[in-house]
Structures are given as structure tokens and as C-alpha cells.
Amino acid sequence: MNTSQEIEHVQCLIIGSGPAGYTAAIYAARADLKPVLYTGMEAGGQLTQTTDVDNFPGYPNGIMGPEMMEDFRKQAERFGSDIRFGYVSSVDFSATPHKVVVDEIKTITADTVIISTGATAKWLGLPSEQHYNGFGVSACAVCDGFFFKNQDVAIVGAGDTAAEEATYLAKLCKKVYMLVRRDEFRASKAMVHRVLNTPNIEVIYNSEAKEVLGNGKNVTGLKILNNKTGEEKDLEVEGFFVAIGHKPNTDIFKGWLEMDDTGYLKTIPGTTKTNIEGVFAAGDVQDHYYRQAVTAAGSGCMAALDAERYLAAKEHEVKAVS
Ligand code: NDP
């Protein structure tokens, strides 16, 4: 921890500015917890990297991801949330109030902390993949599959997420090419069985995506390599889905909070409570399964209610003792 003298105390500190963080801020502000929210380096979170969002209730005509996150922020500010740009560089949850260091210089003590730092999709790292990200390349089939109705698409990955997304896409798309880099899946047997029994999914084993092909504006195909034979070929597809896993943004909480094997924060089922009293987790940082804006927002609401009830119970205890 740093030794800076600049220490500020808050009732409710929210870390992260995706749908979970901003929703927590809306609820916490309306409960008069005077929340302070630090946005992190990518204010607005994963949705600022997407184009159209068509599945968030309340936007009948859809909305652009960055615009929706602006709406979230404005709504949180309307009730007095203090939204600040900055990233949390370390935490100390050894005692209450909890200590959090921002930008390595400023220490905040907080009665409650809501963690909504999200998860980051892993990408292959191809320049063409980033060039067409949002224009045919996506890391979320549930979000973007609809745009490829009756078209041909490809998906890379062989875990449960890829298997689930491939079967989801198969219901919408004409054909789904599934690129598996080894000669076997990582996904569970049941999921593999489902993939192999879906007629419009073609699994291509030992294959790697070499380049996303396009016309400058949209994806038109994919260059793939057979890593056994060295043979290259082009697939004609309009969409390319990358499903090779996510990394939860939890490095700074290692040693403090309980996590699963892949680094997702563990919460008490049915709540947002972590193993540390007064520290709550909401959104993708504690959910590798649903990973939707609307589910993240829902758990942000839960975290604010959990924080409020925790503070109310503490206050009650203090009154009972005095
Ligand atoms: P995983 O880490 O399980 O799988 C990632 C997949 O991507 C692997 O098959 C891996 O290949 C492949 N991959 C990684 N990097 C590359 C690359 N550069 N090029 C090509 N392929 C690559 O991630 P998931 O998101 O699938 O799952 C995360 C966790 O969530 C797992 O524990 C999973 O079981 C769980 N989950 C469960 C679900 C369910 O129960 N229905 C649904 C979704 C997720 P390789 O196998 O060769 O390493």
C-alpha cells in the first residue's frame, strides 16, 4: 500500500463502469450511500467496444454500445453518483474500513466496496481481427448472432463457450464453420455431442484462423491453416466469432478474495457477497456463464441492495450496543 497522506473516506466505493457498476451506482445513490465510482481505464467497459446493442430491454430500436453506456453514466450522475476516471491499483481488505488505492497515489477508505471490473474477451491477436471488430468480427454470439441471420459464419474455439455459441449460431445462420485448433474439443462431452449432432455446423479440426478477409468495410471471409498439413484455404463467411475464453479482471484482488480456478470472484449463491464482509461483486467479474449486459445490470442492482442492507445492519448493531 502507498503511504500517501491523501486519504478520503466513502460509504460506498464502486470499482468499474460497465452495466454492473453504473447500475450499482444508480441504486446506491438513490439509497443515499453517496457512491464514488472509479471507471477504470476503459470507461464504460466492454460495451464501448461494440456497435449495435439490440438485446437490452428498453431500447426498442437498439442502440450503439458507447451511447448506451453514456446513458447509464448520465442516469447514475442524475442521482448524485460521483463518477471519476481512474483505476484501482491495489486493495487492502484486512480490516474495515477497506482500503483501496487509486492510480497508485490516492488512498480511499470505504465502508462497502462493490467490484464490477468485468472480464476481457481474449482475442487471437490478428490485425485484421481488430480491424473488423464490430463489422463482422465479434466475441459474443448472443449479442451479435442476429445480424448474421441466414448467412454463413465461422467460430473459433473448442471450449464450452464456443460449443454453446456454435449451437446458438446454428439456429440463426445457414452454416457455421467451427475451427478447433487441436484434433479434439476441450468442451464437455455433452456439449460436443450437441455440436456434432447439429447438421449445419461443420467442425474443422487442426485448423487456425490466419487472417480475417474483408472488403475494407465488412468481413467477407476467413483464411485458415491446417496446422497438420500446412494447407491454407479461404472460407466464405460474413461473420467471424472468437470464443477462446475470457479473462476476469481480478488480478488486484488475488490473495484477498476467493476465486475459482480461472480467476472469477466467488460470491455466496443468490447474493453478491464475497468472502470479505462489506465487499460485493457484480457483473462479469463473478459470472463466466451468462455474461450479458442485462444480467450484469441486474447483479449491480443486487450489489447495491446488499451493500445498503449490510450498512443498515451495522448501524443497527452500533445503536444496540450504545
Ligand atoms: P476455455 O478456456 O474452457 O476454452 C477456450 C478454448 O479456446 C479452448 O478450446 C482453446 O483451445 C481455445 N483457444 C484458446 N486460444 C486459442 C487460439 N489462440 N486459437 C484457437 N483456439 C484457442 O474457455 P470457455 O470460455 O469455453 O469456458 C470458460 C469456463 O466456463 C470453462 O470452465 C467452461 O467449462 C465454463 N463454461 C461452462 C458452460 C456450461 O456449463 N454450459 C458454458 C460456457 C462456459 P485448446 O482446447 O486447444 O486449449
Side-chain angles (χ1 to χ4, degrees):
M1 297 295 289
N2 81 334
T3 51
S4 160
Q5 293 306 302
E6 197 190 349
I7 295 181
E8 177 186 0
H9 182 75
V10 302
Q11 276 186 85
C12 179
L13 182 74
I14 300 169
I15 311 173
S17 56
Y22 282 140
T23 305
I26 292 167
Y27 275 77
R30 287 170 59 85
D32 208 22
L33 301 188
K34 301 183 173 50
V36 170
L37 180 152
Y38 277 94
T39 60
M41 298 309 279
E42 187 185 55
Q46 289 181 80
L47 279 168
T48 58
Q49 304 289 314
T50 58
T51 50
D52 304 74
V53 178
D54 271 344
N55 57 6
F56 199 89
Y59 292 104
N61 301 315
I63 184 159
M64 301 301 276
E67 203 181 327
M68 184 169 98
M69 294 323 297
E70 270 296 292
D71 284 351
F72 268 79
R73 184 182 57 75
K74 285 184 202 152
Q75 192 171 353
E77 283 180 334
R78 190 174 132 219
F79 300 109
S81 305
D82 184 349
I83 314 280
R84 303 176 186 174
F85 183 76
Y87 77 98
V88 169
S89 41
S90 63
V91 298
D92 179 346
F93 293 155
S94 59
T96 49
H98 301 299
K99 286 203 192 102
V100 168
V101 177
V102 180
D103 294 332
E104 290 172 14
I105 49 162
K106 181 180 170 82
T107 298
I108 301 220
T109 57
D111 296 326
T112 58
V113 179
I114 295 175
I115 298 167
S116 48
T117 46
T120 307
K122 292 183 191 163
W123 296 98
L124 296 170
L126 306 170
S128 53
E129 171 192 50
Q130 286 317 309
H131 181 80
Y132 289 108
N133 187 4
F135 299 91
V137 173
S138 165
C140 178
V142 175
C143 317
D144 299 325
F146 186 81
F147 301 116
F148 302 95
K149 230 172 172 181
N150 301 319
Q151 298 177 9
D152 292 350
V153 298
I155 182 166
V156 60
D160 281 322
T161 302
E164 203 161 71
E165 297 206 340
T167 50
Y168 178 86
L169 289 168
K171 289 196 196 109
L172 299 167
C173 305
K174 201 159 74 192
K175 169 113 193 185
V176 179
Y177 297 100
M178 185 166 190
L179 311 183
V180 174
R181 69 178 171 182
R182 292 183 291 141
D183 55 8
E184 61 177 353
F185 278 84
R186 177 178 297 272
S188 58
K189 283 203 166 58
M191 291 301 297
V192 175
H193 184 74
R194 213 190 290 174
V195 167
L196 298 180
N197 282 286
T198 305
N200 59 337
I201 299 179
E202 181 180 332
V203 179
I204 313 179
Y205 292 101
N206 303 307
S207 63
E208 293 171 23
K210 290 294 284 178
E211 194 186 343
V212 181
L213 308 171
N215 55 15
K217 233 175 137 209
N218 297 303
V219 170
T220 57
L222 193 67
K223 186 174 284 305
I224 65 168
L225 166 80
N226 182 312
N227 56 27
K228 276 265 164 77
T229 63
E231 186 201 340
E232 282 190 359
K233 72 171 179 182
D234 293 350
L235 299 176
E236 265 184 44
V237 290
E238 275 102 350
F240 177 48
F241 290 84
V242 180
I244 61 173
H246 284 75
K247 185 186 180 309
N249 302 318
T250 54
D251 288 352
I252 53 170
F253 308 114
K254 279 190 182 135
W256 297 110
L257 298 178
E258 283 177 7
M259 301 177 187
D260 70 11
D261 294 345
T262 42
Y264 285 88
L265 297 184
K266 283 189 181 174
T267 50
I268 297 173
T271 78
T272 62
K273 295 175 188 170
T274 68
N275 57 302
I276 301 270
E277 264 202 21
V279 179
F280 306 89
D284 288 11
V285 74
Q286 51 84 56
D287 170 22
H288 68 76
Y289 188 68
Y290 295 105
R291 289 201 304 255
Q292 297 302 300
V294 67
T295 50
S299 69
C301 157
M302 288 166 64
L305 294 177
D306 285 341
E308 185 205 349
R309 286 166 194 172
Y310 165 79
L311 289 173
K314 286 277 262 194
E315 200 180 323
H316 190 71
E317 266 172 38
V318 172
K319 276 192 187 140
V321 171
S322 56

